[in-house]
Amino acid sequence: MTGLDGDVSLRQGPLFGFAAGSLGMGVWLTVPGLLLLYFLTDVLAVAPWLAGLTLLLPKIADVVLHPWVGHRCDVEQARRGHRRRLLLAGCALPLAFAALFAVPGGLTGGTAAVWVALLFIAGNLLFAAYQVPYLATPADLRIGYHERTRLMAFRMMVLTVGILLSGLLAPLLAGGDAPTRGGYLRMSMLLGAGMLVAMLVGVTGIDRLRRAAAAPAATHQAGGWRALTESLRDRQFRWLVAAYLAMSTTTHLILAGVPYYAEYELGRPKLTTVLVAAFLAPALLVTPAWLAVARRVGKQRALLAAQATFAVGTLVLAVGRPVGLPVLVTVVAVLGVAFAALQLLPFSMLPDVIRAAAATRAGTYTGVWTATEATGGALGPYAYALCLAVGGFVASAPGQTVTQSPAALAAIRYGFGLLPAVVMVVAVLLQLRYTLDRVARAAPVAGH
């Protein structure tokens, strides 16, 4: 089918097949961010400062490895006309996911942290092998400005299902109010099996999209560090990726703080599931609405509105218990509405930037992007862990009873509310420097 702008209009079958790959990605993006810090401090007895470093240091490797995966992705595209081999290699991610939580029983404290860090590096590399070619797909297709948003809206809705299901099931499978090592292992194996099926379906969906709407192949240019520096010299890409780093850091900070906020601020660990559901469920309903808003006012204006809403909402969370549980749950739901836009719009802007630059190295761009995403996924929990450490939070193992100090309780609350607001304001300031949207919206055929 051909759209009004002269580009292909994609059919729903291939769209859903492509989007299915995000179910698996949703598990990896959600569960470590939601539970890994808590797993380290409250199950493996790792001190908060060390737990934060355990999540942050592997991202130093990601900064190098993800752009390298992007380069290999472009080489595969130039030589073979597809990126399928990397996608299939990335399907080993569920093994690393299961091993991440399969910490041998004799390991606690520092040795347990080393195990988690090494498996986290392996998992992030496999994640990049899948996610980089996956996100390069929209730039490889003959689709326009609005059709790219539509493609990513399908991805966002399916991704949200993956995030929501894993976010709800993971705490329950791990043991609910009394998580154990065995519970975390059971959780990782069950969710890992689902990841594998979804990722394989995604590979098939990408093949169908390419058969229906592949853009003419471009000659591959030099890659490596030269390609990386050239992508970062792209002004639009630089500001978009910087803003996304702040957004990713903020949302992962919120996810990392949910178990602590539910247990220590609200006094009810079971509320972790309620808060996760309130944060993630609205995206299933409002993603089509954000798609309509973006069509009407443009992606940039819609994204700025979502960022501002998120920043204001998190300030209410900093007040904590005095505002009442119904208000807090409602605010978290409003944050979920904004979160849907924070996932949909930047990812649909990325192929806009690639096409506007007439770039032949889509993999390099998406490699930098996924490195940024991974870095934000580590910076958020690390920032929250620093808040806990500054407040004097005391780590523990299952069965131990620890009374946290008033300073630690204040750190739990302010780290969950005030700090995310500050980081999201930074995202707004960076996003304002992005100016491509009004040009791309006015001339959707340009560069196609």
Side-chain angles (χ1 to χ4, degrees):
M1 296 178 64
T2 302
L4 296 175
D5 59 6
D7 293 295
V8 171
S9 179
L10 301 171
R11 297 182 182 275
Q12 288 193 1
L15 281 173
F16 276 115
F18 166 79
S22 285
L23 278 172
M25 296 297 94
V27 176
W28 180 257
L29 290 170
T30 304
V31 177
L34 176 64
L35 295 181
L36 199 51
L37 180 62
Y38 187 85
F39 178 59
L40 287 164
T41 62
D42 284 45
V43 176
L44 302 180
V46 179
W49 67 270
L50 180 57
L53 287 177
T54 301
L55 302 184
L56 179 65
L57 291 180
K59 303 308 175 179
I60 297 175
D62 291 343
V63 171
V64 177
L65 292 175
H66 282 230
W68 176 79
V69 171
H71 167 60
R72 296 307 310 168
C73 178
D74 289 335
V75 170
E76 288 287 303
Q77 172 71 6
R79 290 179 179 175
R80 305 175 186 276
H82 60 77
R83 313 174 196 266
R84 190 181 305 112
R85 290 206 314 175
L86 270 176
L87 285 163
L88 291 174
C91 289
L93 175 62
L95 295 176
F97 176 74
L100 182 66
F101 291 96
V103 181
L107 300 184
T108 58
T111 52
V114 171
W115 174 282
V116 171
L118 292 176
L119 268 298
F120 207 24
I121 291 173
N124 282 326
L125 179 58
L126 292 169
F127 171 78
Y130 193 94
Q131 184 83 327
V132 169
Y134 184 86
L135 292 180
T137 299
D140 291 337
L141 304 177
R142 289 178 290 114
I143 56 177
Y145 174 87
H146 291 303
E147 195 66 7
R148 286 192 287 269
T149 311
R150 178 170 171 257
L151 173 61
M152 295 316 248
F154 273 80
R155 171 192 177 268
M156 176 59 196
M157 287 188 288
V158 176
L159 174 65
T160 302
V161 172
I163 292 174
L164 181 61
L165 288 178
S166 59
L168 295 179
L169 290 176
L172 297 177
L173 293 173
D177 289 348
T180 62
R181 289 175 182 246
Y184 276 102
L185 176 59
R186 177 178 62 248
M187 173 273 296
S188 63
M189 293 181 66
L190 290 174
L191 293 183
M195 288 175 68
L196 178 60
V197 173
M199 293 168 73
L200 290 173
V201 173
V203 174
T204 303
I206 289 173
D207 288 342
R208 292 181 64 190
L209 282 179
R210 293 184 60 83
R211 286 195 297 268
T219 302
H220 178 65
Q221 300 178 12
W225 289 108
R226 178 181 175 184
L228 173 62
T229 56
E230 287 181 2
S231 69
L232 293 176
R233 281 200 294 265
D234 184 331
R235 179 181 181 276
Q236 302 297 338
F237 179 66
R238 189 169 64 247
W239 290 119
L240 180 63
V241 81
Y244 184 68
L245 175 60
M247 286 182 270
S248 179
T249 299
T250 305
T251 54
H252 283 90
L253 194 161
I254 288 288
L255 282 175
V258 166
Y260 298 92
Y261 195 79
E263 179 173 352
Y264 295 104
E265 174 63 23
L266 302 181
R268 297 165 63 183
K270 288 185 178 180
L271 286 176
T272 296
T273 302
V274 175
L275 294 177
V276 170
F279 185 63
L280 298 175
L284 290 174
L285 303 176
V286 303
T287 295
W290 280 117
L291 178 60
V293 171
R295 283 182 175 273
R296 184 173 182 85
V297 305
K299 302 176 192 180
Q300 171 80 334
R301 290 181 179 177
L303 180 56
L304 288 170
Q307 291 169 335
T309 299
F310 201 100
V312 172
T314 53
L315 291 175
V316 180
L317 300 179
V319 179
R321 193 182 310 171
V323 303
L325 182 60
V327 173
L328 291 175
V329 173
T330 300
V331 169
V332 171
V334 171
L335 295 182
V337 172
F339 173 74
L342 301 183
Q343 288 294 302
L344 168 63
L345 299 174
F347 280 87
S348 66
M349 289 172 163
L350 174 61
D352 291 343
V353 170
I354 296 171
R355 295 301 294 270
T360 60
R361 296 180 297 271
T364 300
Y365 275 73
T366 57
V368 175
W369 186 269
T370 59
T372 301
E373 184 177 34
T375 301
L379 286 176
Y382 179 68
Y384 196 78
L386 282 182
C387 285
L388 297 181
V390 170
F393 182 88
V394 179
S396 61
Q400 290 183 336
T401 300
V402 174
T403 300
Q404 302 294 347
S405 67
L409 297 176
I412 289 169
R413 185 172 67 254
Y414 293 133
F416 192 67
L418 184 58
L419 184 57
V422 172
V423 181
M424 190 57 76
V425 169
V426 173
V428 171
L429 295 176
L430 293 169
Q431 189 66 43
L432 288 169
R433 305 298 296 272
Y434 177 84
T435 59
L436 175 64
D437 193 64
R438 57 177 176 264
V439 178
R441 185 172 176 239
V445 183
H448 289 23

